[in-house]
Amino acid sequence: MTTGRISAGIMPIVSEGSVADAKIGVRLASRLPARTDDSDLRELTSLAVQGDRSAIESLLGELRPMVVRYCRARLGRVSGQYHIADDVAQEVCIAVLSALPRYRDMGRPFASFVFGIASHKVADALRSSVRSAVPTQDLPDGPDEGPGPEETVVRYIEVEHARRLLAKLPDNQRELLLLRVVSGLSAEETGNVLGMSPGAVRVAQHRALARLRQMAELESA
Amino acid sequence: MTPEEETDALLDALGRGEMTDAFDPAARLLAALLDDVSQWRSSVSMTPST
C-alpha cells in the first residue's frame, strides 16, 4: 500500500487515498520535526553565546539536521553515499561553534548566520577536488531495513531527475528553493542569507518554481 | 490568495515535510529530493556486547 507521505520516497505512485489526502492538504509526512519557535531559538542562541553548554547542544541539535540536508542537496552523493556532504556539514557545525562567542544578535535570524557559513563551506567544497575522493562503503553489521532494490531504483531515478532539473535553474533560484524546502527556512530567513527582501524572495521563488514545473512538464510530455 | 502567496504557502508546507498538491510535478521533485537528503543511516549496532 502506497502512502502519500513525502517520506515514502516513491512519489510517482500515489494511491487514491493519498491523493484525496493531498487535496485537502493534510500533513503527509512525519519525518521532519517541527522547528523550534523563533523566540525560543533566539533565547537558546543568547544562552549558547554566553557559553551555556546545554543551550549549545540544543542549538546544534536543532540546526544540524537542516545543515546536513542542505549540504547533501548541494553536494549530492559520491559513490552512492553522502560522506563528503556530511563531512562538510560537520565543518559547518564546527565553524558555527567557533564563531558563536563572537556572534552578536543584530535582529537577523540565527539560521541566516548559520546558512551564510554553510553556503561558503559548500562553495569551498565545490571548488576543491574533494569530490574526486571515493570512500569505501562500510559493511553493514545487521539486517538492512531500508527500502528494497526496486524502490531504491525508483527513488534514485526520481531524485536524480530532481537534481538534473534543479541544476538547469540559475544559481540564485536553485539556492533559493533549496534553502526554502530542504533547509526549511522561511522567506525572511532565506532573504537574510541571500541579501534579498522577503518580497523579492517571494517573487523569485514563484518564478523558480514555475520554471521547475515547466521543465518537469516538458520532459514528461 | 495571489499566485506568489500560493507558492509561498506551498514551499512553507514542503519545508515542513507536508505535501499539499500531489499532482504538482515541481512539488513532487522537491519532495523527492527532501526525502532523499533526510535519510539518516541507523547507527544501532546489532553486535551483542560481551
Side-chain angles (χ1 to χ4, degrees), chain A residues 3-8 26-33, chain B residues 13-14 16-19 34-35:
Chain A
T3 73
R5 296 183 312 142
I6 284 177
S7 57
V26 297
R27 182 172 178 82
L28 298 173
S30 57
R31 174 165 292 149
L32 303 179
Chain B
L14 284 171
R16 291 191 301 268
E18 297 171 8
M19 185 61 147
L34 175 61
D35 180 47

Side-chain angles (χ1 to χ4, degrees), chain A residues 12 29 77 82 205-206 213, chain B residues 7-8 17 20 24 28 35-36:
Chain A
R77 296 176 186 267
Y82 278 126
Q205 71 189 13
H206 181 68
R213 189 177 292 128
Chain B
T7 297
D8 199 40
T20 54
D24 182 343
R28 288 164 62 125
D35 180 47
D36 188 64

Side-chain angles (χ1 to χ4, degrees), chain A residues 72-141:
Chain A
R72 287 179 170 189
R74 289 288 312 274
L75 294 169
R77 296 176 186 267
V78 175
S79 298
Q81 302 294 316
Y82 278 126
H83 289 118
I84 290 173
D86 290 354
D87 285 348
V88 173
Q90 187 70 6
E91 282 181 31
V92 173
C93 291
I94 291 169
V96 169
L97 272 181
S98 303
L100 207 48
R102 299 188 302 279
Y103 175 76
R104 295 290 173 269
D105 186 352
M106 307 293 278
R108 294 174 58 193
F110 186 68
S112 307
F113 169 71
V114 173
F115 282 93
I117 293 175
S119 178
H120 283 107
K121 288 282 182 192
V122 166
D124 287 347
L126 287 170
R127 274 194 294 269
S128 74
S129 58
V130 291
R131 301 193 77 192
S132 61
V134 182
T136 306
Q137 187 174 356
D138 295 336
L139 288 173
D141 60 357

Side-chain angles (χ1 to χ4, degrees), chain A residues 35 62-70 111 115 182-185:
Chain A
R35 280 187 60 186
E62 173 80 17
L63 294 168
R64 189 174 174 279
M66 297 160 69
V67 171
V68 169
R69 290 198 299 268
Y70 172 79
F115 282 93
V182 172
S183 301
L185 299 191

Side-chain angles (χ1 to χ4, degrees), chain A residues 35-39 41-42 62-63 66 107-116 175-176 179-180 183-199 201-202 205, chain B residues 8 12:
Chain A
R35 280 187 60 186
T36 302
D37 182 71
D38 278 352
S39 58
L41 196 60
R42 183 152 285 176
E62 173 80 17
L63 294 168
M66 297 160 69
R108 294 174 58 193
F110 186 68
S112 307
F113 169 71
V114 173
F115 282 93
E175 179 78 350
L176 205 158
L179 287 170
R180 290 286 279 117
S183 301
L185 299 191
S186 66
E188 287 77 10
E189 290 168 330
T190 301
N192 272 314
V193 175
L194 299 178
M196 300 166 70
S197 70
V201 167
R202 291 191 175 96
Q205 71 189 13
Chain B
D8 199 40
D12 275 341

Side-chain angles (χ1 to χ4, degrees), chain A residues 6-7 9 11-12 14 19 22 27-29 31-32 65 68-69 72-73 77 82 138 141-143 155 158-159 161-163 165-166 177-178 180-182 187 202 205-206 209 212-213 216-217, chain B residues 2-47:
Chain A
I6 284 177
S7 57
M11 297 301 299
V14 181
V19 169
R27 182 172 178 82
L28 298 173
R31 174 165 292 149
L32 303 179
V68 169
R69 290 198 299 268
R72 287 179 170 189
R77 296 176 186 267
Y82 278 126
D138 295 336
D141 60 357
R155 177 182 292 178
E158 188 162 42
V159 172
H161 187 204
R163 289 189 192 285
L165 293 189
L166 280 166
L177 289 180
L178 293 182
R180 290 286 279 117
V181 175
V182 172
R202 291 191 175 96
Q205 71 189 13
H206 181 68
L209 196 70
L212 186 65
R213 189 177 292 128
E217 285 170 348
Chain B
T2 66
E4 284 80 8
E5 287 170 340
E6 284 179 11
T7 297
D8 199 40
L10 173 66
L11 294 179
D12 275 341
L14 284 171
R16 291 191 301 268
E18 297 171 8
M19 185 61 147
T20 54
D21 185 356
F23 295 111
D24 182 343
R28 288 164 62 125
L29 287 174
L30 289 169
L33 180 63
L34 175 61
D35 180 47
D36 188 64
V37 299
S38 302
Q39 308 289 329
W40 292 166
R41 191 186 175 119
S42 171
S43 59
V44 177
S45 172
M46 298 296 287
T47 309

